[in-house]
Amino acid sequence: MNKKKIAAAAQRCLRELHGDTLPVDVLKITRGLGVHVVDNTAARNVGEYLKGSELGKCMTDGKTWVVIFDDTQPLETKRFTVGHEIGHIYLDHAGEIARLKLDHERQADEFAAQLLCPGNELRRRRLTEAEEVARVCKVPIEAARASLRGMMP
């Protein structure tokens, strides 16, 4: 899937489940999708947990989705991680073959950057500096940079 299609999917997700306020409320989106969000500490209590350097993951039993995120990370990283996992769900990455995993990770990162830093809203507010975008959108600086790159013609 190319960047234009990913950006269009993020815009569709925002239109359907959020609106145009910043910062984007990722929990409002997960509620709209029927996704349960659990921090790693709570997940560990029920036998699920993140492994190694994982910042998040999503799982389904075929009916319900659950997103687990690393609650020891800064707020901006937690928000981006949940956005990234929403990307996997929204882009329908579940069950696809393992060789696509690296591409899926890149796509989910791009989706999260466009979801949390929507280009149309950044343009409307005339936000053009990565530091300012990161502050307003409450995302890591890398996500702000990726979103601004995605806005280039």
Side-chain angles (χ1 to χ4, degrees):
M1 181 176 295
N2 66 36
K3 286 187 176 201
K4 276 190 172 185
K5 287 184 179 177
I6 294 168
Q11 288 170 3
R12 189 171 53 256
C13 181
L14 285 170
R15 245 188 343 269
E16 293 171 358
L17 300 168
H18 188 271
D20 60 2
T21 58
L22 292 179
V24 170
D25 183 345
V26 292
L27 296 180
K28 181 178 179 181
I29 293 171
T30 58
R31 284 190 302 272
L33 290 170
V35 173
H36 300 281
V37 178
V38 182
D39 65 58
N40 196 38
T41 302
R44 192 171 302 217
N45 292 335
V46 294
E48 280 295 337
Y49 53 90
L50 301 174
K51 296 170 181 74
S53 62
E54 284 183 316
L55 295 177
K57 68 178 178 179
C58 55
M59 306 173 291
T60 185
D61 61 5
K63 297 177 190 168
T64 305
W65 280 97
V66 176
V67 166
I68 301 174
F69 68 93
D70 183 347
D71 53 336
T72 66
Q73 295 296 311
L75 172 67
E76 296 81 3
T77 302
K78 290 187 275 194
R79 287 174 40 75
F80 187 81
T81 299
V82 173
H84 172 99
E85 300 306 330
I86 291 170
H88 283 306
I89 296 165
Y90 206 81
L91 298 173
D92 199 27
H93 287 168
E96 294 195 24
I97 55 179
R99 68 182 168 81
L100 297 175
K101 185 167 174 42
L102 187 57
D103 196 41
H104 285 177
E105 293 305 312
R106 181 196 57 75
Q107 290 174 7
D109 278 349
E110 182 70 25
F111 180 92
Q114 298 302 322
L115 181 75
L116 298 174
C117 308
N120 59 339
E121 197 56 27
L122 299 183
R123 280 186 290 278
R124 188 179 76 73
R125 294 174 183 230
R126 295 188 174 104
L127 299 175
T128 58
E129 299 296 324
E131 293 76 12
E132 188 177 27
V133 171
R135 181 184 55 77
V136 170
C137 296
K138 296 187 182 342
V139 296
I141 190 73
E142 299 83 9
R145 287 183 183 127
S147 181
L148 289 170
R149 278 192 307 272
M151 289 173 46
M152 292 179 196

